[in-house]
Structure formats: structure tokens, C-alpha cells
Amino acid sequence: MTQPVLLGLLLIIVGACLATVPPLVRWRQRARRPSASPSQRPSAALTAETPRPSLIERRRVRWPALGVAALFVVVGLGVTAWGVALGAGDRTPVERSLATGVTYRRIVIAEPRPQVVHLGLVDLDDPCIRLETTPLGPDGVVEAERTSDYVDRTGAVLAVNVAFFFPIDEYPHWSAYPRPGDPITAIGPVVVDGRTFESADQGWGYGVGLTDGLAWAGALPAAMDFAVPARIPLVHDGVDVAPESAAYPRTVAGVDLDRNRLVLLVADGKQPGYAEGMTFREAAALLLSLGVDEAVEFDGGGSSTMAATVDGGVELLSRPSHQRIPGRQRPLATHLGVVLAEGCS
């Protein structure tokens, strides 16, 4: 049983206890009232001069206590439902082909904490495979878009979130920014068909891309046909160079240079009982086990999302946690999409 569920149950119990306070107080008052003999009983005239509290006066004591009790119960039910939802994700390992040259895997890890990792394996030597991203507007401004909406708009076989961006304000929920369609600035440049779209914030100088059909990841090279920005390297020359970090939702891209294969990794997190995220070093170790030579980090946290086109419809493969709500997607700046050339399936 997860901590949120325990907290919710505790709040419900406290509310139930508070609801018993008014009747308990009345019972104790009655129990303490001494019984009087007929000779000791006050006269009718005296009784009339000292009336019992009115119904309104009694309710002034009872209703506030019941209101507080009801508030505890309602909040407790909400927290319990949220805690149950946190741990309700699918932890079944999966492997399936999404299209020619594109394979999806769901890996489930139990130790040292619950982890659910989504992998997209993309054969860049397959003539049907193309990489796509969102061109930036002036100074890197784009319209915020959820990953599933990006897949629906572009028809991408597979897509993950990419760029860090600003501004962002997650809380309070009712005034969070951005919402779909809001203008935001992507951090770092993108390259599409050899054309560079620069941003007002050029980022950290790392990325993932293609040059003459060959994949690369790491420091941006001088010549690029396609590129999306990244923040820090996790694997370089087949060696783990990842810094220490806490477990967190992650989006990472790696390249197997020998097979010209792109490996996209999304680790779910912030969901106790289902998935609590990966450290940088755990992500690097997993990618190294898959033969990756170079790997870099994309935006993580509530941004980490993977979606795909499955049987003609859009399917959310990962379980994002925007605003700590399981399955809720964050509107994002740019994506890395895997699309099929015309005539391929």
C-alpha cells in the first residue's frame, strides 16, 4: 500500500472520528447530569426562567464539527483515489513491431525501486524510416503541443518529447502554463533538411541527428542534415559518463553506431507503486546493455512522454505525470518523430 493511499485512509479515519464528537459530547453531558429527587426538582417557574439551549444554538456547535469531519473525509477519499491511480499503471513487459524498422519494448524493473521503461528501437538504415521534428519560429518560439497531438498531426509512427523550454508554470492547476497552443520558447536549435532553426536560447551544444544518413549523438557537429537539441551526454565512446542524479522521469536518446540504430528511452516516474523513475547512471547502463555508443538527455520530469500510431489510432505508450497526475500529458515545445516514407507501412 503506497504512502498516498495510507494518508488518504488516515484522513478518512480522522474525519469519521470528528463526526462522532458532537453526539459524544451530548452523551457525556447527559451522563454527568445528576438525577434529582422530586423534592429537589426545580419548580415550573424556575424551569421557565432557565430554558434549555435552542435548536439553533445546538446546531452552532454541531454543524462546524460535522463540516470539518466531512472535509477530512472528502479530502481523504480524493487522496486515496489519487494514490490508487498512481500505482495502477500496466507493468506487463511488452515487445511489438510498430512498423517496418521500428520496434517498441516495455521493460519492467523491480529493484532498487519500481521502474517502467519504454524503448523505441529505430533502424535508420531502413529506407522507409525518416526522422522529423517541429521547425522553430523566430527566436525559437513554437506553439505548445502534447505528444499524442503531435503524433496525430504528423502521422508519426513513434514520437518522444525533446527540448527543454520556457516559460512553464505547473501550479496552481487551474492557471498552469503552457496550455496547448500557447507560445513557448524551445531551448536549443533544430536542423531540418540541412536548414538550421535557431533559438533565442541556444542551449548546451548537444543533440541527436543525422549527417549523410548516419546517426550521431553528443556535441553538435559542423555538418548536420537533421538535428534536435539535448542537454548533457550520458554515454560517450561506449563509456558511461552520466553524472550522479536522483531517480526521476527521463527521456534519453542513444545511438548504436555499428548498426546505425536509434534507441529512444522514456522512463516513467513520480508514481509510487508503479514507477519511480531512473537515475542518469541507470539509464546509461541500460542503453549500454543495448549496444549504444553515444547517448544524451532530453527534457524529463512531467515532460517525459512516448506516443505512437497503433492500428490507425494514437496510443500513449508511456505514462506521463504532468502536475503529478498519472497519464496527464504536458504541452511541449518540440518532439522527435519517426515517420515512414510514402508507400511504406
Side-chain angles (χ1 to χ4, degrees), residues 237-263:
D237 285 337
V239 177
D240 180 349
V241 296
E244 294 285 350
S245 71
Y248 206 60
R250 305 287 180 194
T251 303
V252 177
V255 172
D256 181 338
L257 298 177
D258 293 332
R259 290 190 280 181
N260 201 30
R261 183 172 75 164
L262 175 66
V263 181

Side-chain angles (χ1 to χ4, degrees), residues 52-128:
R52 298 178 60 187
S54 68
L55 179 62
I56 294 177
E57 290 173 333
R58 293 198 300 272
R59 285 179 175 176
R60 285 175 181 170
V61 175
R62 182 173 58 192
W63 289 118
L66 292 178
V68 172
L71 179 62
F72 268 85
V73 171
V74 170
V75 172
L77 289 171
V79 173
T80 302
W82 176 62
V84 171
L86 285 175
D90 190 348
R91 288 179 53 84
T92 307
V94 171
E95 179 166 352
R96 63 185 177 188
S97 174
L98 297 178
T100 177
V102 184
T103 301
Y104 165 69
R105 291 181 191 169
R106 183 196 297 138
I107 298 177
V108 178
I109 301 171
E111 298 294 341
R113 77 196 71 82
Q115 299 176 56
V116 178
V117 184
H118 309 271
L119 296 173
L121 310 176
V122 184
D123 181 4
L124 296 174
D125 281 336
D126 191 307
C128 284

Side-chain angles (χ1 to χ4, degrees), residues 21-34 52-53 58 61:
V21 169
L24 181 61
V25 170
R26 291 196 301 273
W27 176 81
R28 288 177 63 86
Q29 289 174 342
R30 290 169 183 167
R32 289 175 178 175
R33 189 180 302 148
R52 298 178 60 187
R58 293 198 300 272
V61 175

